[in-house]
Amino acid sequence: MGWSFVVVSLIVLWIASLWKVLFSSSSTSSSKTSFLSDDRALSKRNVLLVVAHPDDESMFFSPTINYLISRGHNLYILCFSIGNADGMGNTRKDEFYQACAVLKVPLQQVKVLDHPDLQDGFGKVWDHELLAKIIEEEVSSHGIDMIITFDNYGVSGHCNHRDVHYGVCQLLHNVSERSVEAWELISTCILRKYSGPVDIWLSMLLSLRYTDGMTHCLLNEHPRKSFHAMAEHSSQWVWFRKLFVSFSSYTYVNTLRKVEEVKQS
């Protein structure tokens, strides 16, 4: 009887959470304003999303991407590798473009690199100065005024994710005048990570702790689109990744924190 009550309660909570995602406001922020609702947002922002591998955009950042695209901001995506750890780099590169098309990101604003010093893999150390240089080139070329990337844990702890974060921090350290701001995707503990839409409640509650507009919680307006985008990564769309996308809180909510202090590795 006790276990039945627990199971039924969890099912009801899951359904209520999914309902909240699908039918309520997509942004809950730490202040009374939503993300990018300041004066600068009266003109559309040029935002650069920086990731390490093809499929990072669909697995981790789809709530942010859907939020930005639906509000008409100019989103650019820079992916630092073709994901060639298993020798499928060219296939994964094509899948990356297909997924971005599903997410409604203009393909001319999507770039994936295959630099010899920035190859996919655990134990592959990426030079932070090189990353910063490449990011700076993208910032200058497209008039970028905002960068979004991983935090210093990188959601999964993958070394490439973490290096991308430190590359952005290195850029901020190198630039004397902060004409560009940076936001990082907050990593959560494993229980929250695999709690699916249920985590939206804790994410929203924790974001309310900050009253200075430094943290914003974005709900995914189109979670089904996230599934469709990830499915375009057919070489990676195996059973455990299907489970990941279903149960990952990152499919349903992103919490972004502004990078204020430059953290060096």
Side-chain angles (χ1 to χ4, degrees):
M1 183 67 179
W3 281 110
S4 298
F5 176 77
V6 171
V7 170
V8 171
S9 299
L10 289 175
I11 292 174
V12 170
L13 181 58
W14 185 283
I15 294 173
S17 302
L18 192 57
W19 182 271
K20 170 70 174 176
V21 170
L22 293 173
F23 298 106
S24 68
S25 173
S26 64
S27 174
T28 300
S29 69
S30 53
S31 64
K32 294 182 179 180
T33 59
S34 60
F35 189 51
L36 299 184
S37 66
D38 57 12
D39 292 338
R40 294 182 67 184
L42 295 176
S43 58
K44 299 305 180 183
R45 305 291 293 272
N46 295 322
V47 184
L48 178 65
L49 173 63
V50 183
V51 297
H53 314 116
D55 75 17
D56 287 349
E57 82 297 331
S58 301
M59 292 182 70
F60 307 121
F61 290 96
S62 59
T64 298
I65 293 173
N66 288 332
Y67 181 90
L68 295 171
I69 293 296
S70 67
R71 283 151 184 78
H73 296 289
N74 299 314
L75 177 62
Y76 296 80
I77 302 181
L78 173 63
C79 180
F80 268 109
S81 78
I82 60 175
N84 199 39
D86 297 322
M88 303 181 67
N90 290 330
T91 297
R92 295 192 65 187
K93 179 179 178 180
D94 293 338
E95 293 169 351
F96 177 67
Y97 284 110
Q98 293 164 10
C100 288
V102 170
L103 294 169
K104 306 299 183 184
V105 182
L107 295 187
Q108 67 271 21
Q109 296 175 194
V110 175
K111 177 182 283 190
V112 55
L113 304 180
D114 187 19
H115 194 287
D117 295 327
L118 301 172
Q119 292 298 303
D120 174 24
F122 286 101
K124 299 282 188 179
V125 178
W126 291 359
D127 181 80
H128 301 163
E129 283 287 359
L130 175 60
L131 294 169
K133 179 181 178 182
I134 295 172
I135 297 169
E136 185 175 13
E137 291 172 355
E138 293 299 305
V139 168
S140 299
S141 297
H142 304 297
I144 300 298
D145 51 38
M146 174 181 288
I147 299 171
I148 298 174
T149 192
F150 294 103
D151 67 3
N152 62 355
Y153 184 72
V155 179
S156 64
H158 196 295
C159 57
N160 298 158
H161 296 180
R162 301 177 73 175
D163 282 335
V164 166
H165 165 82
Y166 287 117
V168 171
C169 290
Q170 188 65 54
L171 169 67
L172 299 180
H173 177 75
N174 293 345
V175 176
S176 56
E177 295 184 4
R178 292 286 293 274
S179 58
V180 59
E181 62 186 73
W183 293 75
E184 58 189 11
L185 176 63
I186 295 178
S187 300
T188 62
C189 69
I190 192 167
L191 290 178
R192 290 183 59 193
K193 183 178 179 180
Y194 292 110
S195 63
V198 175
D199 185 62
I200 67 171
W201 307 107
L202 187 55
S203 294
M204 291 188 294
L205 179 63
L206 291 176
S207 71
L208 294 175
R209 295 171 53 195
Y210 301 92
T211 59
D212 53 4
M214 302 294 288
T215 302
H216 290 272
C217 177
L218 308 181
L219 304 189
N220 194 349
E221 295 174 313
H222 307 289
R224 285 183 292 269
K225 188 184 293 184
S226 303
F227 282 86
H228 295 154
M230 188 59 204
E232 292 296 330
H233 295 278
S234 55
S235 67
Q236 308 299 303
W237 196 227
V238 293
W239 68 268
F240 58 87
R241 286 200 177 89
K242 293 178 182 179
L243 287 177
F244 178 89
V245 175
S246 299
F247 288 94
S248 170
S249 60
Y250 292 93
T251 299
Y252 306 98
V253 60
N254 281 169
T255 302
L256 301 180
R257 176 175 56 212
K258 191 172 184 180
V259 179
E260 278 296 286
E261 294 183 6
V262 179
K263 301 180 285 293
Q264 299 296 318
S265 60

